[in-house]
Amino acid sequence: LNYIPGPWMESIQVSKGTSSVMQGYESITGQINVDYKKPENSEKFYANIFGNSNLRFEANLDGALKLNDKLSTMLFFHADDFRNKFDRNGDGFMDLPKVTNINAFNRWDYIKPGVMISRFGIKYLDETRNGGQMDFDKGNFTFDTTGISEGIKKYGIGVRTQRLEAFWKNGFFFANHPQSSLGLILSGINHLQNGFYGINQYSGHEQSLFANLVFTTSFRKETHKIGAGVSYLLDNFNEDYLQHQLSYGNQGMLPAAGLTDSIYRLTGDHPVNFDMNRTEWSAGGYFEYTFNYKDKLTIIAGLRGDYDNFWGFFVTPRLHLKYDFNGTTTLRGSVGRGYRTANVLAENSNLFVSQRKFVFSEELNQENAWNFGLNFTKEFKLFRHKATLELDAYRTAFGNEVVADVDSLPGAVFFYNLHGRSFANSLQAQFIFEPVHNFSITAAFRYNDVRQTIGGKLVEKPMVSSYKGLLTLSYATRGDSWKFDLTGQLNGPMRLPNSSKLPSDLQQPSHSKPWINLLAQVTKKFKFVEVYVGGENLANFTQPDPIVDPAHPYYTYFDGSMVWGPLVGITAYAGVRLTIK
């Protein structure tokens, strides 16, 4: 989502649990759909300029042009720049990476009512991130072990990402059968990422193509609806991770904090290249039936079958139910199965910022899981004002999962298939209330029970919050001339990887601390302009020890991936929006 600027979005739809089989065989625990602004109903010009107290600056521009009554286009541009390096916690490392980002998007829409809709878009992103020690000098840096034993080689991180995306969505309608339509969706991605983490180097290149042809029709006044289609997915991944697995003298013992580097001389370098290249394709077909009884009972049953060149043929069943009791009380349920192929290096790239040795214990198989979900929604009057209560319960049970074991040994991460149980239970309650006109309250709480078999034991999955809370207060004056927003986020503790095998002065507690994030914003609206000011992390909480053994970044115990909280305290920001309709 960091690659999608907020002002580009028209809306976001979140599907909880398993999604429709029309969307593919993945989406095990949900799906997020971002709906971009459309030129036919957007402002002619929009600009948003933003800056904060850390000297991060951002600009967003977009404009729409209607060429005629059928064809329109829209151009989006985003740029952000942050080059201010600082180290407020005194560990010698930048608290935030330096970032420059340019993002552009052009879309074309052709709409002929009752005949066809065609939407085409192309996006390009170029982002550079640099971090590491405060006195790291990329100009004098070499990818070798020179100076490591003497402690004079500084640790730096640099990542450049270039991403090109294109999509073409087409919908065709039948004049004699207005209840029927044919859709064709084509999309492609070319994602290139190169980076270095100390003397370790990563390169990743993804080329993906997706095609989906779907036919939908309904009959008997839309009581029955059928959707059927075929899809094809091609993924070409080329990933390489060159890791220098270093060894030292003194019988391989590594220094704890406080011991001089000169005692521990580098005795060997064993570069290991992890080549995770693969070309995977899958082709399949699906059928989905929807039964709608007087808008009270809705049943959606879907089944798809796919053939994958690695995993062979597999079947994906899914079922969704919805019952509306009286127009204000709704019960939803879902159950379904999903599959996915893990991209181990990309999905665990946070571990690159450490000296953990990567160990692949066995050949990794396809992940698969069942998801079960219930949702209860009740609308009612509270003190004569509208209120909504939502209760959610979801469970994901894995048949297989790729485990990234960071518990067994502090200097390594082991990758292997699930041998035992793995599940995630989630319970959530949300309450929305408007006690007076233009003043709304949203309160939510979610409890997570996520467990995974690691090293033969069923334990809490590390780095997952056990609970989260949210309270949002929003008020607007008449005509939205002034807007006031206050948000509080409660973040519960998460289990940290086992550090009992580390030297005593480097060991961490078993769980992180709970912490609260407060955010506030005030917006003043004029005729064409909005001016806003706000603050983030107003509780001023920061994680005290985000890096394990920061004084020795090239030794086995160094680990910068144990980040569970904010690293920067109170941050103020201000911005201006210009809208010409």
Side-chain angles (χ1 to χ4, degrees), residues 114-272:
V115 179
M116 71 170 296
I117 297 177
S118 182
R119 305 186 190 276
F120 173 80
I122 186 168
K123 294 188 290 180
Y124 178 73
L125 165 81
D126 193 331
E127 181 190 75
T128 301
R129 290 177 175 264
N130 290 284
Q133 290 180 297
M134 289 289 290
D135 48 2
F136 171 75
D137 182 3
K138 184 179 178 181
N140 296 322
F141 185 75
T142 57
F143 294 102
D144 55 44
T145 60
T146 304
I148 288 180
S149 293
E150 294 78 10
I152 61 175
K153 194 177 193 73
K154 300 304 178 182
Y155 187 91
I157 300 167
V159 181
R160 185 183 182 189
T161 301
Q162 297 168 284
R163 182 179 177 91
L164 180 66
E165 296 180 65
F167 67 84
W168 188 24
K169 300 179 180 180
N170 300 276
F172 305 94
F173 307 96
F174 303 94
N176 297 328
H177 301 278
Q179 73 278 11
S180 302
S181 64
L182 182 68
L184 175 63
I185 300 174
L186 302 172
S187 63
I189 297 172
N190 186 66
H191 186 105
L192 184 64
Q193 184 170 311
N194 293 287
F196 65 90
Y197 304 81
I199 60 175
N200 299 329
Q201 300 174 70
Y202 170 81
S203 65
H205 189 192
E206 173 191 358
Q207 295 172 303
S208 293
L209 174 66
F210 175 71
N212 190 16
L213 179 67
V214 55
F215 172 78
T216 60
T217 187
S218 60
F219 48 94
R220 290 192 179 181
K221 297 182 180 181
E222 297 190 353
T223 300
H224 306 278
K225 183 178 179 180
I226 292 174
V230 293
S231 63
Y232 177 80
L233 175 65
L234 173 65
D235 283 326
N236 183 41
F237 289 95
N238 290 280
E239 288 187 285
D240 291 283
Y241 181 46
L242 178 62
Q243 184 180 54
H244 293 261
Q245 299 186 350
L246 309 176
S247 58
Y248 300 85
N250 196 19
Q251 297 180 349
M253 297 298 292
L254 305 179
L259 298 182
T260 60
D261 294 344
S262 59
I263 301 176
Y264 301 89
R265 296 295 180 183
L266 182 67
T267 60
D269 177 13
H270 309 281
V272 178

Side-chain angles (χ1 to χ4, degrees), residues 323-463:
Y323 187 76
D324 190 338
F325 290 90
N326 53 17
T328 61
T329 306
T330 305
L331 180 66
R332 296 176 177 88
S334 66
V335 60
R337 190 171 177 84
Y339 304 83
R340 67 181 298 271
T341 301
N343 296 304
V344 179
L345 293 178
E347 292 167 20
N348 294 278
S349 59
N350 62 306
L351 297 176
F352 294 165
V353 192
S354 72
Q355 291 300 333
R356 291 181 180 270
K357 295 183 179 181
F358 281 40
V359 180
F360 289 83
S361 304
E362 59 184 336
E363 184 176 345
L364 302 178
N365 297 324
Q366 185 185 39
E367 295 186 333
N368 67 83
W370 283 93
N371 183 277
F372 311 87
L374 284 174
N375 168 269
F376 175 81
T377 302
K378 175 67 177 178
E379 296 180 359
F380 57 98
K381 293 290 185 178
L382 182 62
F383 305 117
R384 298 182 180 180
H385 293 276
K386 182 180 177 181
T388 303
L389 175 66
E390 285 193 41
L391 302 175
D392 290 323
Y394 287 89
R395 176 180 174 85
T396 303
F398 283 90
N400 183 54
E401 184 180 19
V402 174
V403 178
D405 179 357
V406 291
D407 284 319
S408 295
L409 196 64
V413 52
F414 299 91
F415 297 102
Y416 48 80
N417 296 305
L418 178 66
H419 298 284
R421 301 169 61 203
S422 178
F423 59 84
N425 296 324
S426 176
L427 300 175
Q428 178 172 305
Q430 178 174 284
F431 175 70
I432 303 174
F433 180 46
E434 188 173 330
V436 296
H437 183 61
N438 281 353
F439 177 52
S440 63
I441 301 172
T442 300
F445 186 84
R446 183 173 72 235
Y447 168 75
N448 297 314
D449 180 22
V450 184
R451 298 180 184 272
Q452 189 179 58
T453 301
I454 300 176
K457 297 180 180 180
L458 183 64
V459 296
E460 293 179 70
K461 189 173 182 178
M463 309 303 286

Side-chain angles (χ1 to χ4, degrees), residues 24-97:
Y25 53 79
E26 296 190 358
S27 309
I28 297 173
T29 60
Q31 189 175 51
I32 299 176
N33 177 62
V34 176
D35 196 11
Y36 293 95
K37 291 180 179 178
K38 300 177 180 62
E40 62 266 21
N41 55 19
S42 293
E43 61 275 352
K44 293 180 180 179
F45 179 76
Y46 174 87
N48 179 15
I49 309 299
F50 163 95
N52 72 13
S53 56
N54 295 322
L55 301 183
R56 175 179 175 268
F57 301 97
E58 178 179 314
N60 294 279
L61 308 172
D62 66 67
L65 178 63
K66 295 182 180 180
L67 301 177
N68 54 48
D69 60 344
K70 298 182 181 66
L71 183 64
S72 56
T73 185
M74 196 164 185
L75 182 64
F76 304 80
F77 178 78
H78 166 90
D80 64 76
D81 185 86
F82 175 67
R83 305 184 190 185
N84 179 33
K85 62 179 184 178
F86 51 86
D87 176 25
R88 294 170 185 163
N89 61 9
D91 61 7
F93 281 74
M94 299 182 212
D95 292 343
L96 295 174

